[in-house]
Amino acid sequence: MEGLADVHLRRLLTAQGNFDWVVSEFVRVVDRPYPERVFHTLCPELLQGGRTASGTPVRVQLLGNHLESMAINAQRAVALGSYGIDINFGCPSKTVNRSMGGAVLLKEPDTLYRVVSAVRAALPKSVVVSAKMRLGFDDTALMLDNASAIEAAGADELTVHARTRLQGYAPPAHWDELGRIRAHIKIPLIANGDICSIDDYHRCVAAAGTVDVMLGRGAIRQPTLANQIRANQATTTSWSTISPLLQSFWQEISLVLPPRDCVGRVKQWVNYLRQLHPEAETLWRSIREEKNAQTLQALLAATTHQVFPYEP
Ligand SMILES: Cc1cc2nc3c(=O)[nH]c(=O)nc-3n(C[C@H](O)[C@H](O)[C@H](O)COP(=O)(O)O)c2cc1C
């Protein structure tokens, strides 16, 4: 998730266990092959065998429509160690859509077919190619055509965020539409959108007719959500689990990011956490206006009475 589930959060979340694989932030492909450093910047796990520290495979996500360039960059990412390639047909950003990338391509099933075909043809069959789409751009009229195009082009898996681009991120996610896609294609379908609890998981599975799901913001709010789903146990991630993760997050990012960015990243995560955890709401109130990294670190440490050195 761009600007959110970066290498640091991917490390922390996958360390909680039970993620089969994760996706990198998207690499926006234009009309040229990228040097290694572009892939290493967005997916530093490539420097450690394409896995997070806890061993979860990471799949590089590409976004774009330039056939040759998508193919070459897919080959490069795989040569660098990516666990397959995921293609983004879901990004709602106006800037991205204006340059004909992301969800805007859902208006053109033929283009989806060509993009996926180009990437598929560039890689050995043993390398997984997946695509991620929404239900449509403005509406679901082309939903089944888009899913069919992606399947016919040779994708191995399809993840669907159960909203149109017009629906943005607003609840609810329309899991029942996923059931229509499930009945229409044969490749594995991965359901996505608003799966934030074990109850959501069961309702989504019942509506979508697939047991495979992609967790997004639900796992940001509850880092052990994948464990709950695997164990079929509804136990909200406790604050005593989350608080050390926040500390660890701070420690890690403060080694590599400028202080101002560290402050922003921690606030961003706490803002998600406070939707579920009263302790995060309290913390949020104390850090919301804070701009100073040292003060914010002290406030964070106070939430668990842990102290660690700040080295900008
Ligand atoms: C801040 C943010 C960044 C995102 N970046 C990406 C991305 O780079 N690639 C992608 O496929 N989806 C991205 N998404 C969409 C999520 O992967 C997911 O499809 C969406 O949030 C719905 O699932 P959820 O309700 O479980 O979060 C992003 C979502 C958010 C909120």
Side-chain angles (χ1 to χ4, degrees):
M1 296 165 82
E2 195 213 5
L4 180 61
D6 64 357
V7 62
H8 311 293
L9 260 190
R10 289 197 295 269
R11 182 183 74 76
L12 288 173
L13 296 183
T14 56
Q16 307 313 302
N18 281 310
F19 288 93
D20 295 319
W21 50 280
V22 290
V23 190
S24 74
E25 295 170 273
F26 65 75
V27 177
R28 195 166 158 195
V29 172
V30 285
D31 57 356
R32 62 176 184 278
Y34 284 128
E36 286 185 10
R37 74 180 147 72
V38 170
F39 296 100
H40 287 153
T41 302
L42 283 160
C43 187
E45 292 96 334
L46 295 175
L47 293 163
Q48 50 190 48
R51 290 172 184 264
T52 65
S54 52
T56 307
V58 185
R59 193 172 297 174
V60 168
Q61 187 177 67
L62 301 181
L63 179 153
N65 67 12
H66 191 286
L67 304 185
E68 201 182 324
S69 191
M70 287 290 282
I72 289 181
N73 283 301
Q75 284 174 336
R76 289 199 171 179
V78 169
L80 290 171
S82 175
Y83 166 75
I85 292 293
D86 192 51
I87 309 174
N88 182 322
F89 297 124
C91 180
S93 148
K94 283 198 175 124
T95 317
V96 167
N97 287 180
R98 256 197 305 273
S99 54
M100 294 307 285
V104 73
L105 297 180
L106 298 173
K107 293 177 177 180
E108 303 176 7
D110 288 351
T111 306
L112 300 193
Y113 177 83
R114 282 198 293 272
V115 171
V116 176
S117 296
V119 171
R120 177 69 281 169
L123 298 170
K125 200 68 195 127
S126 57
V127 175
V128 179
V129 173
S130 55
K132 164 111 177 284
M133 64 175 240
R134 284 176 176 253
L135 300 179
F137 193 76
D138 291 324
D139 58 42
T140 61
L142 291 175
M143 178 179 82
L144 298 180
D145 290 346
N146 285 328
S148 290
I150 288 168
E151 177 175 54
D156 300 293
E157 297 165 355
L158 174 63
T159 306
V160 184
H161 175 186
R163 292 185 178 91
T164 62
R165 192 257 188 202
L166 189 64
Q167 288 162 345
Y169 293 96
H174 301 275
W175 298 324
D176 48 337
E177 296 287 359
L178 303 180
R180 292 177 59 210
I181 298 177
R182 177 62 292 165
H184 195 70
I185 59 170
K186 293 198 171 56
I187 56 173
L189 173 69
I190 301 169
N192 168 245
D194 280 0
I195 301 167
C196 300
S197 68
I198 189 94
D199 183 50
D200 292 340
Y201 172 77
H202 286 302
R203 286 188 297 115
C204 176
V205 163
T210 177
V211 294
D212 297 318
V213 297
M214 179 205 142
L215 302 179
R217 293 163 297 172
I220 305 286
R221 294 186 197 105
Q222 281 206 75
T224 60
L225 183 56
N227 298 343
Q228 294 169 39
I229 290 172
R230 194 79 80 186
N232 199 18
Q233 278 175 354
T235 42
T236 308
T237 316
S238 69
W239 186 246
S240 61
T241 300
I242 293 171
S243 184
L245 297 181
L246 260 178
Q247 306 274 359
S248 175
F249 184 59
W250 176 268
Q251 276 181 303
E252 189 170 314
I253 62 177
S254 60
L255 293 175
V256 290
L257 298 179
R260 211 178 60 179
D261 293 358
C262 295
V263 170
R265 293 303 316 279
V266 164
K267 283 188 191 173
Q268 180 193 35
W269 193 11
V270 174
N271 196 16
Y272 276 100
L273 291 169
R274 79 191 176 102
Q275 295 163 18
L276 202 64
H277 309 278
E279 298 90 340
E281 177 62 35
T282 308
L283 177 61
W284 172 253
R285 287 197 195 130
S286 69
I287 66 172
R288 181 172 50 187
E289 306 290 342
E290 192 51 64
K291 293 189 173 62
N292 181 282
Q294 267 171 304
T295 315
L296 186 130
Q297 178 192 314
L299 291 165
L300 266 187
T303 64
T304 50
H305 310 292
Q306 288 178 11
V307 181
F308 46 83
Y310 172 67
E311 291 166 16

Short mmCIF file of all heavy atoms in Angstrom, two decimals, residues 112-158:
data_model
loop_
_atom_site.label_atom_id
_atom_site.label_comp_id
_atom_site.label_asym_id
_atom_site.label_seq_id
_atom_site.Cartn_x
_atom_site.Cartn_y
_atom_site.Cartn_z
N LEU A 112 -6.33 -4.31 -20.62
CA LEU A 112 -5.96 -5.22 -19.53
C LEU A 112 -5.37 -6.50 -20.12
O LEU A 112 -4.34 -7.00 -19.66
CB LEU A 112 -7.17 -5.60 -18.66
CG LEU A 112 -7.95 -4.52 -17.93
CD1 LEU A 112 -8.87 -5.17 -16.89
CD2 LEU A 112 -7.03 -3.53 -17.25
N TYR A 113 -6.05 -7.00 -21.14
CA TYR A 113 -5.58 -8.25 -21.77
C TYR A 113 -4.16 -8.08 -22.31
O TYR A 113 -3.29 -8.91 -22.09
CB TYR A 113 -6.54 -8.64 -22.90
CG TYR A 113 -6.10 -9.88 -23.65
CD1 TYR A 113 -6.38 -11.15 -23.15
CD2 TYR A 113 -5.37 -9.76 -24.84
CE1 TYR A 113 -5.94 -12.28 -23.81
CE2 TYR A 113 -4.92 -10.90 -25.50
CZ TYR A 113 -5.21 -12.15 -24.99
OH TYR A 113 -4.76 -13.28 -25.64
N ARG A 114 -3.93 -6.96 -22.99
CA ARG A 114 -2.60 -6.77 -23.61
C ARG A 114 -1.51 -6.60 -22.56
O ARG A 114 -0.41 -7.12 -22.68
CB ARG A 114 -2.63 -5.55 -24.55
CG ARG A 114 -3.30 -5.87 -25.89
CD ARG A 114 -2.95 -4.85 -26.95
NE ARG A 114 -3.52 -3.54 -26.61
CZ ARG A 114 -4.74 -3.16 -26.97
NH1 ARG A 114 -5.51 -3.97 -27.66
NH2 ARG A 114 -5.19 -1.98 -26.64
N VAL A 115 -1.82 -5.85 -21.49
CA VAL A 115 -0.80 -5.62 -20.45
C VAL A 115 -0.45 -6.94 -19.75
O VAL A 115 0.73 -7.28 -19.61
CB VAL A 115 -1.30 -4.58 -19.41
CG1 VAL A 115 -0.36 -4.49 -18.23
CG2 VAL A 115 -1.44 -3.20 -20.06
N VAL A 116 -1.48 -7.67 -19.36
CA VAL A 116 -1.20 -8.94 -18.66
C VAL A 116 -0.50 -9.91 -19.61
O VAL A 116 0.47 -10.59 -19.22
CB VAL A 116 -2.50 -9.56 -18.09
CG1 VAL A 116 -2.22 -10.92 -17.44
CG2 VAL A 116 -3.14 -8.62 -17.06
N SER A 117 -0.93 -9.96 -20.87
CA SER A 117 -0.29 -10.86 -21.84
C SER A 117 1.19 -10.53 -21.99
O SER A 117 2.03 -11.43 -22.06
CB SER A 117 -0.94 -10.74 -23.23
OG SER A 117 -2.25 -11.16 -23.19
N ALA A 118 1.50 -9.22 -22.06
CA ALA A 118 2.90 -8.80 -22.27
C ALA A 118 3.76 -9.25 -21.10
O ALA A 118 4.87 -9.76 -21.28
CB ALA A 118 2.96 -7.28 -22.45
N VAL A 119 3.24 -9.07 -19.88
CA VAL A 119 4.01 -9.46 -18.69
C VAL A 119 4.12 -10.99 -18.62
O VAL A 119 5.19 -11.54 -18.38
CB VAL A 119 3.35 -8.89 -17.41
CG1 VAL A 119 4.00 -9.45 -16.16
CG2 VAL A 119 3.44 -7.36 -17.42
N ARG A 120 3.00 -11.66 -18.89
CA ARG A 120 3.00 -13.13 -18.83
C ARG A 120 4.01 -13.72 -19.83
O ARG A 120 4.79 -14.62 -19.50
CB ARG A 120 1.58 -13.62 -19.14
CG ARG A 120 1.32 -15.11 -19.20
CD ARG A 120 1.43 -15.82 -17.87
NE ARG A 120 2.80 -16.07 -17.48
CZ ARG A 120 3.17 -16.48 -16.27
NH1 ARG A 120 2.30 -16.68 -15.33
NH2 ARG A 120 4.44 -16.67 -15.99
N ALA A 121 4.00 -13.16 -21.06
CA ALA A 121 4.88 -13.70 -22.11
C ALA A 121 6.35 -13.45 -21.79
O ALA A 121 7.22 -14.16 -22.28
CB ALA A 121 4.52 -13.06 -23.44
N ALA A 122 6.63 -12.45 -20.95
CA ALA A 122 8.02 -12.08 -20.67
C ALA A 122 8.63 -12.96 -19.57
O ALA A 122 9.83 -12.91 -19.34
CB ALA A 122 8.07 -10.61 -20.24
N LEU A 123 7.78 -13.74 -18.90
CA LEU A 123 8.27 -14.49 -17.73
C LEU A 123 8.06 -15.98 -17.90
O LEU A 123 7.09 -16.40 -18.55
CB LEU A 123 7.51 -14.02 -16.47
CG LEU A 123 7.69 -12.55 -16.11
CD1 LEU A 123 6.71 -12.16 -15.00
CD2 LEU A 123 9.12 -12.27 -15.67
N PRO A 124 8.94 -16.79 -17.32
CA PRO A 124 8.71 -18.24 -17.37
C PRO A 124 7.39 -18.59 -16.69
O PRO A 124 6.95 -17.88 -15.78
CB PRO A 124 9.88 -18.81 -16.57
CG PRO A 124 10.81 -17.70 -16.29
CD PRO A 124 10.12 -16.41 -16.55
N LYS A 125 6.80 -19.68 -17.13
CA LYS A 125 5.49 -20.10 -16.58
C LYS A 125 5.56 -20.32 -15.07
O LYS A 125 4.56 -20.17 -14.35
CB LYS A 125 5.08 -21.40 -17.30
CG LYS A 125 3.63 -21.73 -17.25
CD LYS A 125 2.73 -20.78 -18.04
CE LYS A 125 1.27 -20.95 -17.64
NZ LYS A 125 0.57 -19.74 -17.26
N SER A 126 6.77 -20.66 -14.58
CA SER A 126 6.91 -20.95 -13.14
C SER A 126 6.80 -19.69 -12.27
O SER A 126 6.66 -19.79 -11.05
CB SER A 126 8.26 -21.62 -12.88
OG SER A 126 9.30 -20.77 -13.35
N VAL A 127 6.87 -18.53 -12.91
CA VAL A 127 6.79 -17.28 -12.14
C VAL A 127 5.33 -16.81 -12.09
O VAL A 127 4.68 -16.66 -13.13
CB VAL A 127 7.67 -16.18 -12.79
CG1 VAL A 127 7.49 -14.85 -12.08
CG2 VAL A 127 9.13 -16.61 -12.79
N VAL A 128 4.86 -16.58 -10.88
CA VAL A 128 3.44 -16.19 -10.71
C VAL A 128 3.20 -14.78 -11.23
O VAL A 128 3.94 -13.85 -10.91
CB VAL A 128 3.05 -16.23 -9.21
CG1 VAL A 128 1.60 -15.80 -9.02
CG2 VAL A 128 3.25 -17.61 -8.65
N VAL A 129 2.15 -14.64 -12.05
CA VAL A 129 1.69 -13.30 -12.46
C VAL A 129 0.28 -13.13 -11.92
O VAL A 129 -0.60 -13.94 -12.20
CB VAL A 129 1.68 -13.14 -13.99
CG1 VAL A 129 1.05 -11.81 -14.40
CG2 VAL A 129 3.10 -13.24 -14.56
N SER A 130 0.09 -12.10 -11.11
CA SER A 130 -1.24 -11.82 -10.58
C SER A 130 -1.64 -10.40 -10.97
O SER A 130 -0.80 -9.60 -11.36
CB SER A 130 -1.27 -11.98 -9.05
OG SER A 130 -0.28 -11.16 -8.46
N ALA A 131 -2.94 -10.15 -10.89
CA ALA A 131 -3.43 -8.79 -11.17
C ALA A 131 -4.38 -8.40 -10.06
O ALA A 131 -4.99 -9.25 -9.40
CB ALA A 131 -4.14 -8.75 -12.51
N LYS A 132 -4.47 -7.10 -9.84
CA LYS A 132 -5.40 -6.57 -8.83
C LYS A 132 -6.30 -5.57 -9.52
O LYS A 132 -5.81 -4.64 -10.17
CB LYS A 132 -4.57 -5.89 -7.73
CG LYS A 132 -5.34 -4.98 -6.79
CD LYS A 132 -5.42 -5.58 -5.40
CE LYS A 132 -6.11 -4.66 -4.43
NZ LYS A 132 -5.28 -3.55 -4.00
N MET A 133 -7.60 -5.76 -9.40
CA MET A 133 -8.54 -4.82 -10.02
C MET A 133 -9.63 -4.42 -9.02
O MET A 133 -9.76 -5.01 -7.94
CB MET A 133 -9.17 -5.43 -11.28
CG MET A 133 -10.02 -6.67 -11.04
SD MET A 133 -10.84 -7.25 -12.57
CE MET A 133 -12.58 -7.11 -12.09
N ARG A 134 -10.37 -3.41 -9.39
CA ARG A 134 -11.59 -3.05 -8.67
C ARG A 134 -12.78 -3.59 -9.45
O ARG A 134 -12.61 -4.15 -10.53
CB ARG A 134 -11.69 -1.53 -8.55
CG ARG A 134 -10.76 -0.93 -7.50
CD ARG A 134 -10.85 0.59 -7.53
NE ARG A 134 -10.04 1.19 -6.47
CZ ARG A 134 -10.54 1.76 -5.37
NH1 ARG A 134 -11.86 1.85 -5.20
NH2 ARG A 134 -9.75 2.29 -4.46
N LEU A 135 -14.00 -3.35 -8.94
CA LEU A 135 -15.20 -3.85 -9.62
C LEU A 135 -15.45 -3.13 -10.94
O LEU A 135 -16.19 -3.62 -11.78
CB LEU A 135 -16.43 -3.67 -8.71
CG LEU A 135 -16.39 -4.39 -7.36
CD1 LEU A 135 -17.67 -4.10 -6.57
CD2 LEU A 135 -16.20 -5.89 -7.54
N GLY A 136 -14.84 -1.97 -11.08
CA GLY A 136 -15.02 -1.21 -12.31
C GLY A 136 -14.54 0.21 -12.08
O GLY A 136 -13.99 0.52 -11.02
N PHE A 137 -14.76 1.06 -13.07
CA PHE A 137 -14.36 2.47 -12.91
C PHE A 137 -15.55 3.23 -12.30
O PHE A 137 -15.60 3.43 -11.11
CB PHE A 137 -13.92 3.05 -14.25
CG PHE A 137 -13.22 4.38 -14.10
CD1 PHE A 137 -11.91 4.43 -13.65
CD2 PHE A 137 -13.89 5.56 -14.37
CE1 PHE A 137 -11.27 5.67 -13.47
CE2 PHE A 137 -13.26 6.79 -14.20
CZ PHE A 137 -11.95 6.84 -13.75
N ASP A 138 -16.55 3.56 -13.12
CA ASP A 138 -17.74 4.23 -12.56
C ASP A 138 -18.78 3.24 -12.06
O ASP A 138 -19.52 3.50 -11.13
CB ASP A 138 -18.39 5.12 -13.63
CG ASP A 138 -17.52 6.31 -13.96
OD1 ASP A 138 -16.86 6.83 -13.04
OD2 ASP A 138 -17.46 6.69 -15.14
N ASP A 139 -18.87 2.11 -12.77
CA ASP A 139 -19.87 1.08 -12.40
C ASP A 139 -19.29 -0.30 -12.70
O ASP A 139 -18.13 -0.41 -13.10
CB ASP A 139 -21.18 1.33 -13.17
CG ASP A 139 -20.95 1.33 -14.68
OD1 ASP A 139 -20.19 0.46 -15.15
OD2 ASP A 139 -21.51 2.19 -15.39
N THR A 140 -20.14 -1.32 -12.52
CA THR A 140 -19.63 -2.70 -12.65
C THR A 140 -19.91 -3.31 -14.04
O THR A 140 -19.75 -4.52 -14.22
CB THR A 140 -20.27 -3.60 -11.57
OG1 THR A 140 -21.69 -3.60 -11.77
CG2 THR A 140 -19.95 -3.11 -10.17
N ALA A 141 -20.30 -2.45 -15.00
CA ALA A 141 -20.73 -2.99 -16.30
C ALA A 141 -19.65 -3.87 -16.96
O ALA A 141 -19.99 -4.87 -17.60
CB ALA A 141 -21.12 -1.84 -17.23
N LEU A 142 -18.40 -3.50 -16.80
CA LEU A 142 -17.33 -4.27 -17.46
C LEU A 142 -16.62 -5.24 -16.52
O LEU A 142 -15.57 -5.80 -16.86
CB LEU A 142 -16.30 -3.29 -18.07
CG LEU A 142 -16.79 -2.45 -19.25
CD1 LEU A 142 -15.74 -1.43 -19.67
CD2 LEU A 142 -17.15 -3.36 -20.43
N MET A 143 -17.19 -5.41 -15.32
CA MET A 143 -16.50 -6.20 -14.29
C MET A 143 -16.14 -7.61 -14.78
O MET A 143 -14.98 -8.04 -14.67
CB MET A 143 -17.42 -6.29 -13.07
CG MET A 143 -16.89 -7.11 -11.94
SD MET A 143 -18.06 -7.10 -10.57
CE MET A 143 -19.21 -8.37 -11.11
N LEU A 144 -17.11 -8.31 -15.36
CA LEU A 144 -16.84 -9.70 -15.77
C LEU A 144 -15.93 -9.73 -16.99
O LEU A 144 -15.05 -10.60 -17.10
CB LEU A 144 -18.16 -10.43 -16.04
CG LEU A 144 -19.09 -10.55 -14.82
CD1 LEU A 144 -20.37 -11.31 -15.17
CD2 LEU A 144 -18.38 -11.24 -13.64
N ASP A 145 -16.10 -8.76 -17.89
CA ASP A 145 -15.20 -8.68 -19.06
C ASP A 145 -13.76 -8.46 -18.61
O ASP A 145 -12.82 -9.04 -19.15
CB ASP A 145 -15.62 -7.53 -19.99
CG ASP A 145 -16.93 -7.81 -20.69
OD1 ASP A 145 -17.37 -8.98 -20.66
OD2 ASP A 145 -17.52 -6.87 -21.25
N ASN A 146 -13.59 -7.59 -17.62
CA ASN A 146 -12.23 -7.31 -17.13
C ASN A 146 -11.61 -8.55 -16.49
O ASN A 146 -10.45 -8.88 -16.74
CB ASN A 146 -12.26 -6.15 -16.12
CG ASN A 146 -12.44 -4.81 -16.80
OD1 ASN A 146 -11.99 -4.61 -17.94
ND2 ASN A 146 -13.10 -3.87 -16.13
N ALA A 147 -12.41 -9.23 -15.67
CA ALA A 147 -11.89 -10.44 -15.03
C ALA A 147 -11.54 -11.50 -16.08
O ALA A 147 -10.49 -12.14 -16.01
CB ALA A 147 -12.92 -10.99 -14.04
N SER A 148 -12.41 -11.64 -17.08
CA SER A 148 -12.14 -12.61 -18.15
C SER A 148 -10.89 -12.25 -18.93
O SER A 148 -10.10 -13.12 -19.31
CB SER A 148 -13.31 -12.66 -19.14
OG SER A 148 -14.41 -13.24 -18.55
N ALA A 149 -10.73 -10.96 -19.19
CA ALA A 149 -9.56 -10.51 -19.97
C ALA A 149 -8.27 -10.85 -19.23
O ALA A 149 -7.30 -11.34 -19.82
CB ALA A 149 -9.65 -9.01 -20.23
N ILE A 150 -8.29 -10.63 -17.93
CA ILE A 150 -7.10 -10.90 -17.12
C ILE A 150 -6.81 -12.41 -17.09
O ILE A 150 -5.67 -12.85 -17.24
CB ILE A 150 -7.29 -10.32 -15.69
CG1 ILE A 150 -7.21 -8.78 -15.76
CG2 ILE A 150 -6.27 -10.88 -14.71
CD1 ILE A 150 -7.67 -8.06 -14.51
N GLU A 151 -7.87 -13.19 -16.96
CA GLU A 151 -7.69 -14.65 -16.96
C GLU A 151 -7.21 -15.15 -18.33
O GLU A 151 -6.24 -15.91 -18.42
CB GLU A 151 -9.01 -15.34 -16.61
CG GLU A 151 -8.91 -16.86 -16.68
CD GLU A 151 -10.20 -17.54 -16.20
OE1 GLU A 151 -11.28 -17.22 -16.73
OE2 GLU A 151 -10.12 -18.40 -15.31
N ALA A 152 -7.85 -14.65 -19.39
CA ALA A 152 -7.50 -15.11 -20.74
C ALA A 152 -6.05 -14.75 -21.10
O ALA A 152 -5.39 -15.44 -21.87
CB ALA A 152 -8.46 -14.51 -21.77
N ALA A 153 -5.56 -13.68 -20.52
CA ALA A 153 -4.19 -13.23 -20.80
C ALA A 153 -3.16 -14.07 -20.05
O ALA A 153 -1.96 -13.89 -20.25
CB ALA A 153 -4.04 -11.76 -20.43
N GLY A 154 -3.62 -14.95 -19.18
CA GLY A 154 -2.68 -15.87 -18.54
C GLY A 154 -2.31 -15.55 -17.12
O GLY A 154 -1.37 -16.14 -16.58
N ALA A 155 -3.04 -14.65 -16.48
CA ALA A 155 -2.75 -14.39 -15.05
C ALA A 155 -3.03 -15.65 -14.24
O ALA A 155 -3.95 -16.41 -14.55
CB ALA A 155 -3.61 -13.24 -14.54
N ASP A 156 -2.22 -15.85 -13.22
CA ASP A 156 -2.39 -17.03 -12.37
C ASP A 156 -3.38 -16.79 -11.24
O ASP A 156 -3.98 -17.73 -10.72
CB ASP A 156 -1.04 -17.42 -11.75
CG ASP A 156 -0.02 -17.75 -12.82
OD1 ASP A 156 -0.21 -18.76 -13.51
OD2 ASP A 156 0.93 -16.96 -12.99
N GLU A 157 -3.51 -15.54 -10.82
CA GLU A 157 -4.40 -15.20 -9.71
C GLU A 157 -4.98 -13.81 -9.95
O GLU A 157 -4.33 -12.97 -10.58
CB GLU A 157 -3.61 -15.12 -8.38
CG GLU A 157 -2.98 -16.43 -7.95
CD GLU A 157 -1.92 -16.23 -6.86
OE1 GLU A 157 -1.60 -15.07 -6.51
OE2 GLU A 157 -1.41 -17.25 -6.38
N LEU A 158 -6.17 -13.58 -9.41
CA LEU A 158 -6.79 -12.25 -9.52
C LEU A 158 -7.27 -11.79 -8.15
O LEU A 158 -8.03 -12.50 -7.48
CB LEU A 158 -7.98 -12.30 -10.49
CG LEU A 158 -8.82 -11.02 -10.59
CD1 LEU A 158 -7.99 -9.85 -11.15
CD2 LEU A 158 -10.05 -11.25 -11.49
#
